[in-house]
Amino acid sequence: MMRRRALLTFAVPACAAGAQAQDDGSADILALVELVAGQTPDGTARVAIAEAALAAQHRDPVAQARARRERLAFLEQLRGADAIERARLRIHARGTLWFDWNNADGGVARRAAFALDPVIAVASRSRLVVTEQELSALLAANARAGEVAGITPPPVDRQALTMALAREFPEWPLTRQRGFAVASLRLAQLDRAWQAATAAERDAATRQARQSVRQPQEVPLLARALEAAAVAGRPLSEFGRVVPPLPRIGEQLGIISGMSGALRSFNP
């Protein structure tokens, strides 16, 4: 596998991984922006990216050619990546874009990506970034756990949750930071495990969840437990064997001293 640090230089490939890169490298940049943001920049952003790529190429063509080869190799990984690996690469690329693309050229791509997927919280020491995509993935996993348990998760004040994350995230322990920063990866792993499960295994997971979860506040904790089982490669019905039983999860993960009320039910 190529050195992932290679992403740090400005420019990454095209609106689809297999698209032919343009000579100025702007197609490379657009591919990274689309990977990070999950959607295509508008025409104004595309023009700005193309202009910045061309300026960078004129300024130092040798360095740009080397960087571009590395970026093309990175995007080659995307071509054959499944949903889980793609989520992993997106999270890596997001951190790279936020922390390392701060020069005049890279800033164009950085602004384009995070205009489409706004940053909620950043932890400089761990180099982890939480965006709207990750928060949406976390809440989607909670909703799916609610379907399994037959109980709707508690309502969310998304604005309050976002403000609390921005304020508290940098001070959290690394494991808790990663829980939020890689929510889309954990959701992809949960999706794969559920799809791979037999009907009998799904029934067993549903039965176990409905015996364990009694109130809406426990649904997000069930989501974290199901994710943990999926990550560990265990049957989803064994979520209680991967993590403590749900009453203890409520104590250990549901209400953490120093966490705001908005975040207690969403602690990974």
CSV table of all heavy atoms in Angstrom, one decimal, residues 139-197:
chain,number,residue,atom,x,y,z
A,139,LEU,N,-26.3,8.8,14.0
A,139,LEU,CA,-27.7,8.8,14.2
A,139,LEU,C,-28.4,7.8,13.4
A,139,LEU,O,-29.4,7.2,13.8
A,139,LEU,CB,-28.3,10.2,13.9
A,139,LEU,CG,-27.7,11.3,14.8
A,139,LEU,CD1,-28.3,12.7,14.4
A,139,LEU,CD2,-28.0,11.1,16.3
A,140,ALA,N,-27.9,7.5,12.2
A,140,ALA,CA,-28.5,6.4,11.3
A,140,ALA,C,-28.3,5.0,12.0
A,140,ALA,O,-29.3,4.2,12.0
A,140,ALA,CB,-27.8,6.4,10.0
A,141,ALA,N,-27.2,4.8,12.6
A,141,ALA,CA,-27.0,3.5,13.3
A,141,ALA,C,-27.9,3.4,14.5
A,141,ALA,O,-28.5,2.4,14.8
A,141,ALA,CB,-25.5,3.4,13.8
A,142,ASN,N,-28.2,4.6,15.2
A,142,ASN,CA,-29.1,4.5,16.3
A,142,ASN,C,-30.5,4.2,15.8
A,142,ASN,O,-31.3,3.4,16.4
A,142,ASN,CB,-29.2,5.9,17.0
A,142,ASN,CG,-27.9,6.2,17.7
A,142,ASN,OD1,-27.0,5.4,17.9
A,142,ASN,ND2,-27.8,7.5,18.2
A,143,ALA,N,-30.9,4.8,14.7
A,143,ALA,CA,-32.2,4.5,14.1
A,143,ALA,C,-32.4,3.0,13.7
A,143,ALA,O,-33.4,2.4,13.9
A,143,ALA,CB,-32.5,5.4,12.9
A,144,ARG,N,-31.3,2.4,13.2
A,144,ARG,CA,-31.4,1.0,12.8
A,144,ARG,C,-31.4,0.1,14.0
A,144,ARG,O,-32.1,-0.9,14.0
A,144,ARG,CB,-30.2,0.7,11.9
A,144,ARG,CG,-30.2,1.4,10.6
A,144,ARG,CD,-29.1,1.1,9.7
A,144,ARG,NE,-29.1,2.1,8.6
A,144,ARG,CZ,-28.2,2.2,7.6
A,144,ARG,NH1,-27.3,1.3,7.5
A,144,ARG,NH2,-28.3,3.1,6.7
A,145,ALA,N,-30.7,0.5,15.1
A,145,ALA,CA,-30.8,-0.2,16.3
A,145,ALA,C,-32.3,-0.1,16.9
A,145,ALA,O,-32.8,-1.1,17.4
A,145,ALA,CB,-29.8,0.3,17.3
A,146,GLY,N,-32.9,1.0,16.7
A,146,GLY,CA,-34.3,1.2,17.1
A,146,GLY,C,-35.2,0.3,16.4
A,146,GLY,O,-36.1,-0.3,17.0
A,147,GLU,N,-35.0,0.1,15.1
A,147,GLU,CA,-35.8,-0.8,14.3
A,147,GLU,C,-35.6,-2.3,14.8
A,147,GLU,O,-36.6,-3.0,14.9
A,147,GLU,CB,-35.4,-0.7,12.8
A,147,GLU,CG,-35.7,0.6,12.2
A,147,GLU,CD,-35.1,0.7,10.8
A,147,GLU,OE1,-34.5,-0.3,10.3
A,147,GLU,OE2,-35.3,1.8,10.2
A,148,VAL,N,-34.4,-2.6,15.2
A,148,VAL,CA,-34.1,-4.0,15.7
A,148,VAL,C,-34.8,-4.2,17.0
A,148,VAL,O,-35.5,-5.2,17.3
A,148,VAL,CB,-32.6,-4.2,15.8
A,148,VAL,CG1,-32.4,-5.6,16.5
A,148,VAL,CG2,-31.9,-4.2,14.4
A,149,ALA,N,-34.7,-3.2,17.9
A,149,ALA,CA,-35.3,-3.3,19.2
A,149,ALA,C,-36.8,-3.0,19.2
A,149,ALA,O,-37.5,-3.3,20.2
A,149,ALA,CB,-34.6,-2.3,20.1
A,150,GLY,N,-37.3,-2.4,18.2
A,150,GLY,CA,-38.8,-2.1,18.2
A,150,GLY,C,-39.1,-0.9,19.0
A,150,GLY,O,-40.2,-0.7,19.5
A,151,ILE,N,-38.1,0.0,19.3
A,151,ILE,CA,-38.2,1.2,20.1
A,151,ILE,C,-37.6,2.3,19.4
A,151,ILE,O,-36.4,2.2,18.9
A,151,ILE,CB,-37.6,1.0,21.5
A,151,ILE,CG1,-38.3,-0.1,22.2
A,151,ILE,CG2,-37.7,2.3,22.3
A,151,ILE,CD1,-37.6,-0.4,23.6
A,152,THR,N,-38.2,3.4,19.2
A,152,THR,CA,-37.7,4.6,18.6
A,152,THR,C,-36.6,5.3,19.5
A,152,THR,O,-36.9,5.5,20.7
A,152,THR,CB,-38.8,5.6,18.3
A,152,THR,OG1,-39.7,5.0,17.4
A,152,THR,CG2,-38.2,6.9,17.6
A,153,PRO,N,-35.4,5.6,19.0
A,153,PRO,CA,-34.4,6.3,19.9
A,153,PRO,C,-34.9,7.6,20.3
A,153,PRO,O,-35.9,8.2,19.7
A,153,PRO,CB,-33.2,6.4,19.0
A,153,PRO,CG,-33.7,6.2,17.6
A,153,PRO,CD,-34.9,5.3,17.7
A,154,PRO,N,-34.4,8.2,21.3
A,154,PRO,CA,-34.8,9.5,21.8
A,154,PRO,C,-34.7,10.6,20.8
A,154,PRO,O,-33.7,10.5,19.9
A,154,PRO,CB,-34.0,9.8,23.0
A,154,PRO,CG,-32.8,8.9,22.9
A,154,PRO,CD,-33.2,7.7,22.1
A,155,PRO,N,-35.5,11.6,20.8
A,155,PRO,CA,-35.4,12.7,19.8
A,155,PRO,C,-34.1,13.4,20.0
A,155,PRO,O,-33.5,13.5,21.1
A,155,PRO,CB,-36.6,13.6,20.1
A,155,PRO,CG,-36.9,13.3,21.5
A,155,PRO,CD,-36.6,11.8,21.7
A,156,VAL,N,-33.6,14.0,18.9
A,156,VAL,CA,-32.3,14.7,18.9
A,156,VAL,C,-32.4,16.1,18.6
A,156,VAL,O,-33.0,16.5,17.6
A,156,VAL,CB,-31.3,14.0,17.9
A,156,VAL,CG1,-30.0,14.8,17.8
A,156,VAL,CG2,-31.1,12.6,18.2
A,157,ASP,N,-31.8,17.0,19.5
A,157,ASP,CA,-31.7,18.4,19.1
A,157,ASP,C,-30.3,18.5,18.5
A,157,ASP,O,-29.3,18.6,19.1
A,157,ASP,CB,-31.7,19.2,20.4
A,157,ASP,CG,-31.6,20.7,20.1
A,157,ASP,OD1,-31.1,21.1,19.1
A,157,ASP,OD2,-32.0,21.5,21.0
A,158,ARG,N,-30.3,18.4,17.1
A,158,ARG,CA,-29.1,18.3,16.4
A,158,ARG,C,-28.2,19.6,16.6
A,158,ARG,O,-27.0,19.5,16.7
A,158,ARG,CB,-29.4,18.1,14.9
A,158,ARG,CG,-28.1,17.8,14.1
A,158,ARG,CD,-28.4,17.0,12.9
A,158,ARG,NE,-27.2,16.7,12.1
A,158,ARG,CZ,-27.1,15.7,11.3
A,158,ARG,NH1,-28.0,14.8,11.2
A,158,ARG,NH2,-25.9,15.5,10.7
A,159,GLN,N,-28.8,20.7,16.7
A,159,GLN,CA,-28.0,21.9,16.9
A,159,GLN,C,-27.3,21.9,18.3
A,159,GLN,O,-26.1,22.2,18.4
A,159,GLN,CB,-28.9,23.2,16.8
A,159,GLN,CG,-28.2,24.5,17.0
A,159,GLN,CD,-29.1,25.7,16.8
A,159,GLN,OE1,-30.3,25.6,16.6
A,159,GLN,NE2,-28.5,26.9,16.8
A,160,ALA,N,-28.0,21.5,19.3
A,160,ALA,CA,-27.4,21.4,20.6
A,160,ALA,C,-26.3,20.4,20.6
A,160,ALA,O,-25.3,20.5,21.3
A,160,ALA,CB,-28.5,21.1,21.7
A,161,LEU,N,-26.6,19.2,20.0
A,161,LEU,CA,-25.6,18.2,19.9
A,161,LEU,C,-24.3,18.6,19.2
A,161,LEU,O,-23.2,18.4,19.6
A,161,LEU,CB,-26.2,17.0,19.2
A,161,LEU,CG,-25.4,15.7,19.2
A,161,LEU,CD1,-25.1,15.2,20.6
A,161,LEU,CD2,-26.1,14.6,18.4
A,162,THR,N,-24.5,19.4,18.1
A,162,THR,CA,-23.4,19.9,17.3
A,162,THR,C,-22.6,20.9,18.2
A,162,THR,O,-21.3,20.8,18.2
A,162,THR,CB,-23.9,20.6,16.1
A,162,THR,OG1,-24.5,19.6,15.3
A,162,THR,CG2,-22.7,21.2,15.3
A,163,MET,N,-23.2,21.8,18.9
A,163,MET,CA,-22.5,22.7,19.7
A,163,MET,C,-21.8,22.1,20.8
A,163,MET,O,-20.6,22.4,21.2
A,163,MET,CB,-23.5,23.8,20.3
A,163,MET,CG,-24.1,24.7,19.2
A,163,MET,SD,-25.4,25.7,19.9
A,163,MET,CE,-24.5,26.7,21.0
A,164,ALA,N,-22.4,21.0,21.4
A,164,ALA,CA,-21.7,20.3,22.5
A,164,ALA,C,-20.5,19.6,22.0
A,164,ALA,O,-19.4,19.5,22.7
A,164,ALA,CB,-22.7,19.4,23.2
A,165,LEU,N,-20.6,19.0,20.8
A,165,LEU,CA,-19.5,18.2,20.2
A,165,LEU,C,-18.3,19.2,20.0
A,165,LEU,O,-17.2,18.9,20.3
A,165,LEU,CB,-19.9,17.6,18.9
A,165,LEU,CG,-20.4,16.2,19.0
A,165,LEU,CD1,-21.0,15.8,17.7
A,165,LEU,CD2,-19.3,15.2,19.4
A,166,ALA,N,-18.6,20.4,19.4
A,166,ALA,CA,-17.5,21.3,19.1
A,166,ALA,C,-16.8,21.7,20.4
A,166,ALA,O,-15.6,21.9,20.4
A,166,ALA,CB,-18.1,22.5,18.4
A,167,ARG,N,-17.5,21.9,21.5
A,167,ARG,CA,-17.0,22.3,22.7
A,167,ARG,C,-16.2,21.2,23.5
A,167,ARG,O,-15.1,21.5,24.0
A,167,ARG,CB,-18.1,22.9,23.6
A,167,ARG,CG,-17.6,23.5,24.9
A,167,ARG,CD,-18.8,24.1,25.7
A,167,ARG,NE,-19.8,23.1,26.0
A,167,ARG,CZ,-21.0,23.1,25.4
A,167,ARG,NH1,-21.3,23.9,24.4
A,167,ARG,NH2,-21.9,22.2,25.8
A,168,GLU,N,-16.7,20.0,23.5
A,168,GLU,CA,-16.2,19.0,24.3
A,168,GLU,C,-15.3,18.0,23.7
A,168,GLU,O,-14.4,17.4,24.3
A,168,GLU,CB,-17.4,18.2,25.0
A,168,GLU,CG,-18.3,19.1,25.8
A,168,GLU,CD,-19.5,18.4,26.4
A,168,GLU,OE1,-19.4,17.1,26.4
A,168,GLU,OE2,-20.4,19.1,26.8
A,169,PHE,N,-15.5,17.8,22.4
A,169,PHE,CA,-14.7,16.8,21.6
A,169,PHE,C,-13.2,16.8,21.8
A,169,PHE,O,-12.6,15.8,22.0
A,169,PHE,CB,-15.1,16.9,20.1
A,169,PHE,CG,-14.5,15.8,19.3
A,169,PHE,CD1,-14.9,14.5,19.2
A,169,PHE,CD2,-13.4,16.1,18.5
A,169,PHE,CE1,-14.4,13.5,18.4
A,169,PHE,CE2,-12.8,15.1,17.7
A,169,PHE,CZ,-13.3,13.9,17.6
A,170,PRO,N,-12.6,18.0,21.8
A,170,PRO,CA,-11.1,18.0,21.9
A,170,PRO,C,-10.6,17.5,23.2
A,170,PRO,O,-9.4,17.0,23.3
A,170,PRO,CB,-10.8,19.5,21.7
A,170,PRO,CG,-11.9,20.1,21.0
A,170,PRO,CD,-13.1,19.3,21.5
A,171,GLU,N,-11.4,17.5,24.2
A,171,GLU,CA,-10.9,17.0,25.6
A,171,GLU,C,-11.3,15.6,25.9
A,171,GLU,O,-10.9,15.1,26.9
A,171,GLU,CB,-11.6,17.9,26.6
A,171,GLU,CG,-11.3,19.4,26.5
A,171,GLU,CD,-9.8,19.7,26.3
A,171,GLU,OE1,-9.0,19.1,27.1
A,171,GLU,OE2,-9.4,20.6,25.5
A,172,TRP,N,-11.9,14.9,25.0
A,172,TRP,CA,-12.3,13.5,25.2
A,172,TRP,C,-11.1,12.6,25.1
A,172,TRP,O,-10.1,12.9,24.4
A,172,TRP,CB,-13.3,13.1,24.2
A,172,TRP,CG,-14.7,13.6,24.4
A,172,TRP,CD1,-15.1,14.4,25.4
A,172,TRP,CD2,-15.8,13.4,23.6
A,172,TRP,NE1,-16.5,14.7,25.3
A,172,TRP,CE2,-16.9,14.1,24.1
A,172,TRP,CE3,-16.0,12.7,22.4
A,172,TRP,CZ2,-18.2,14.1,23.6
A,172,TRP,CZ3,-17.3,12.7,21.8
A,172,TRP,CH2,-18.3,13.4,22.4
A,173,PRO,N,-11.2,11.4,25.8
A,173,PRO,CA,-10.1,10.4,25.6
A,173,PRO,C,-10.1,10.0,24.1
A,173,PRO,O,-11.2,10.1,23.4
A,173,PRO,CB,-10.6,9.3,26.5
A,173,PRO,CG,-11.5,9.9,27.5
A,173,PRO,CD,-12.2,11.0,26.8
A,174,LEU,N,-9.0,9.5,23.6
A,174,LEU,CA,-8.9,9.1,22.2
A,174,LEU,C,-9.9,8.1,21.8
A,174,LEU,O,-10.5,8.2,20.7
A,174,LEU,CB,-7.5,8.6,22.0
A,174,LEU,CG,-7.2,8.1,20.5
A,174,LEU,CD1,-7.3,9.2,19.5
A,174,LEU,CD2,-5.8,7.5,20.5
A,175,THR,N,-10.2,7.1,22.6
A,175,THR,CA,-11.1,6.1,22.2
A,175,THR,C,-12.5,6.7,21.9
A,175,THR,O,-13.2,6.3,21.0
A,175,THR,CB,-11.2,4.9,23.2
A,175,THR,OG1,-11.5,5.5,24.5
A,175,THR,CG2,-9.9,4.2,23.3
A,176,ARG,N,-12.9,7.6,22.8
A,176,ARG,CA,-14.2,8.2,22.6
A,176,ARG,C,-14.2,9.2,21.3
A,176,ARG,O,-15.2,9.2,20.6
A,176,ARG,CB,-14.6,9.0,23.8
A,176,ARG,CG,-16.1,9.3,23.9
A,176,ARG,CD,-16.5,10.1,25.1
A,176,ARG,NE,-15.9,9.6,26.3
A,176,ARG,CZ,-15.8,10.3,27.5
A,176,ARG,NH1,-16.1,11.5,27.5
A,176,ARG,NH2,-15.3,9.7,28.5
A,177,GLN,N,-13.1,9.9,21.1
A,177,GLN,CA,-13.0,10.7,19.9
A,177,GLN,C,-13.2,9.8,18.7
A,177,GLN,O,-13.9,10.2,17.8
A,177,GLN,CB,-11.7,11.4,19.9
A,177,GLN,CG,-11.5,12.5,20.9
A,177,GLN,CD,-10.2,13.2,20.9
A,177,GLN,OE1,-9.2,12.7,20.2
A,177,GLN,NE2,-10.0,14.3,21.5
A,178,ARG,N,-12.5,8.7,18.7
A,178,ARG,CA,-12.5,7.9,17.5
A,178,ARG,C,-13.9,7.3,17.2
A,178,ARG,O,-14.3,7.2,16.1
A,178,ARG,CB,-11.5,6.7,17.6
A,178,ARG,CG,-10.1,7.1,17.3
A,178,ARG,CD,-9.2,5.9,17.2
A,178,ARG,NE,-9.6,5.0,16.2
A,178,ARG,CZ,-9.4,5.1,14.9
A,178,ARG,NH1,-8.8,6.2,14.4
A,178,ARG,NH2,-9.9,4.3,14.0
A,179,GLY,N,-14.6,7.1,18.3
A,179,GLY,CA,-16.0,6.6,18.2
A,179,GLY,C,-16.9,7.5,17.4
A,179,GLY,O,-17.7,7.0,16.5
A,180,PHE,N,-16.7,8.8,17.5
A,180,PHE,CA,-17.5,9.7,16.7
A,180,PHE,C,-16.8,10.0,15.4
A,180,PHE,O,-17.5,10.1,14.4
A,180,PHE,CB,-17.6,11.1,17.5
A,180,PHE,CG,-18.8,11.2,18.4
A,180,PHE,CD1,-18.7,10.8,19.7
A,180,PHE,CD2,-20.0,11.7,17.9
A,180,PHE,CE1,-19.8,10.8,20.5
A,180,PHE,CE2,-21.1,11.8,18.7
A,180,PHE,CZ,-21.0,11.3,20.0
A,181,ALA,N,-15.5,10.1,15.3
A,181,ALA,CA,-14.8,10.4,14.1
A,181,ALA,C,-14.9,9.3,13.0
A,181,ALA,O,-14.8,9.6,11.8
A,181,ALA,CB,-13.4,10.7,14.3
A,182,VAL,N,-15.2,8.1,13.4
A,182,VAL,CA,-15.3,7.0,12.5
A,182,VAL,C,-16.7,6.3,12.4
A,182,VAL,O,-16.8,5.2,12.1
A,182,VAL,CB,-14.2,5.9,12.7
A,182,VAL,CG1,-12.8,6.5,12.7
A,182,VAL,CG2,-14.4,5.2,14.1
A,183,ALA,N,-17.7,7.1,12.7
A,183,ALA,CA,-19.0,6.6,12.8
A,183,ALA,C,-19.5,6.0,11.5
A,183,ALA,O,-20.2,5.0,11.4
A,183,ALA,CB,-20.0,7.7,13.2
A,184,SER,N,-19.1,6.6,10.4
A,184,SER,CA,-19.5,6.1,9.0
A,184,SER,C,-18.8,4.7,8.8
A,184,SER,O,-19.4,3.9,8.1
A,184,SER,CB,-19.1,7.1,7.9
A,184,SER,OG,-17.7,7.3,7.9
A,185,LEU,N,-17.6,4.5,9.3
A,185,LEU,CA,-17.0,3.2,9.1
A,185,LEU,C,-17.7,2.2,9.9
A,185,LEU,O,-17.9,1.1,9.4
A,185,LEU,CB,-15.5,3.3,9.5
A,185,LEU,CG,-14.7,2.1,9.6
A,185,LEU,CD1,-14.6,1.4,8.2
A,185,LEU,CD2,-13.3,2.3,10.1
A,186,ARG,N,-18.0,2.5,11.2
A,186,ARG,CA,-18.7,1.5,12.0
A,186,ARG,C,-20.1,1.2,11.4
A,186,ARG,O,-20.6,0.1,11.5
A,186,ARG,CB,-18.8,2.1,13.4
A,186,ARG,CG,-17.5,2.1,14.1
A,186,ARG,CD,-17.6,2.5,15.6
A,186,ARG,NE,-18.0,3.9,15.7
A,186,ARG,CZ,-19.2,4.3,16.2
A,186,ARG,NH1,-20.1,3.4,16.6
A,186,ARG,NH2,-19.5,5.5,16.3
A,187,LEU,N,-20.8,2.2,10.9
A,187,LEU,CA,-22.1,2.0,10.2
A,187,LEU,C,-21.9,1.0,9.0
A,187,LEU,O,-22.8,0.1,8.9
A,187,LEU,CB,-22.7,3.3,9.8
A,187,LEU,CG,-24.0,3.2,9.1
A,187,LEU,CD1,-25.1,2.6,9.9
A,187,LEU,CD2,-24.5,4.6,8.6
A,188,ALA,N,-20.9,1.2,8.2
A,188,ALA,CA,-20.7,0.3,7.1
A,188,ALA,C,-20.4,-1.1,7.6
A,188,ALA,O,-20.9,-2.1,6.9
A,188,ALA,CB,-19.5,0.8,6.3
A,189,GLN,N,-19.7,-1.2,8.7
A,189,GLN,CA,-19.4,-2.6,9.2
A,189,GLN,C,-20.7,-3.2,9.7
A,189,GLN,O,-20.9,-4.4,9.6
A,189,GLN,CB,-18.3,-2.5,10.3
A,189,GLN,CG,-17.0,-2.1,9.7
A,189,GLN,CD,-16.0,-1.8,10.8
A,189,GLN,OE1,-16.3,-1.0,11.8
A,189,GLN,NE2,-14.8,-2.3,10.7
A,190,LEU,N,-21.5,-2.4,10.4
A,190,LEU,CA,-22.8,-2.9,10.9
A,190,LEU,C,-23.7,-3.4,9.7
A,190,LEU,O,-24.3,-4.4,9.7
A,190,LEU,CB,-23.5,-1.9,11.7
A,190,LEU,CG,-24.9,-2.2,12.3
A,190,LEU,CD1,-24.8,-3.5,13.1
A,190,LEU,CD2,-25.4,-1.1,13.1
A,191,ASP,N,-23.7,-2.5,8.7
A,191,ASP,CA,-24.6,-2.9,7.5
A,191,ASP,C,-24.1,-4.2,6.9
A,191,ASP,O,-24.9,-5.0,6.5
A,191,ASP,CB,-24.4,-1.7,6.5
A,191,ASP,CG,-25.3,-0.5,6.8
A,191,ASP,OD1,-26.2,-0.7,7.7
A,191,ASP,OD2,-25.1,0.5,6.2
A,192,ARG,N,-22.8,-4.3,6.7
A,192,ARG,CA,-22.3,-5.6,6.1
A,192,ARG,C,-22.6,-6.8,7.0
A,192,ARG,O,-23.0,-7.8,6.4
A,192,ARG,CB,-20.8,-5.5,5.9
A,192,ARG,CG,-20.2,-6.7,5.2
A,192,ARG,CD,-18.7,-6.6,4.9
A,192,ARG,NE,-17.9,-6.6,6.1
A,192,ARG,CZ,-16.6,-6.6,6.1
A,192,ARG,NH1,-15.9,-6.5,5.0
A,192,ARG,NH2,-15.9,-6.6,7.3
A,193,ALA,N,-22.5,-6.7,8.3
A,193,ALA,CA,-22.8,-7.8,9.2
A,193,ALA,C,-24.3,-8.2,9.1
A,193,ALA,O,-24.6,-9.3,9.1
A,193,ALA,CB,-22.4,-7.4,10.6
A,194,TRP,N,-25.1,-7.2,9.0
A,194,TRP,CA,-26.6,-7.4,9.0
A,194,TRP,C,-26.9,-8.1,7.7
A,194,TRP,O,-27.7,-9.1,7.6
A,194,TRP,CB,-27.3,-6.1,9.2
A,194,TRP,CG,-28.8,-6.4,9.3
A,194,TRP,CD1,-29.8,-6.2,8.3
A,194,TRP,CD2,-29.5,-6.8,10.5
A,194,TRP,NE1,-31.0,-6.5,8.8
A,194,TRP,CE2,-30.9,-6.9,10.1
A,194,TRP,CE3,-29.1,-7.1,11.8
A,194,TRP,CZ2,-31.9,-7.3,11.0
A,194,TRP,CZ3,-30.1,-7.5,12.7
A,194,TRP,CH2,-31.5,-7.6,12.3
A,195,GLN,N,-26.4,-7.6,6.6
A,195,GLN,CA,-26.7,-8.2,5.3
A,195,GLN,C,-26.1,-9.6,5.1
A,195,GLN,O,-26.7,-10.4,4.4
A,195,GLN,CB,-26.1,-7.3,4.2
A,195,GLN,CG,-26.8,-5.9,4.1
A,195,GLN,CD,-26.0,-4.9,3.3
A,195,GLN,OE1,-24.9,-5.2,2.7
A,195,GLN,NE2,-26.4,-3.6,3.3
A,196,ALA,N,-25.0,-9.8,5.8
A,196,ALA,CA,-24.4,-11.2,5.7
A,196,ALA,C,-25.1,-12.2,6.6
A,196,ALA,O,-24.9,-13.4,6.4
A,196,ALA,CB,-22.9,-11.1,6.0
A,197,ALA,N,-25.8,-11.7,7.6
A,197,ALA,CA,-26.5,-12.6,8.5
A,197,ALA,C,-27.6,-13.4,7.9
A,197,ALA,O,-28.3,-12.9,7.0
A,197,ALA,CB,-27.0,-11.8,9.7
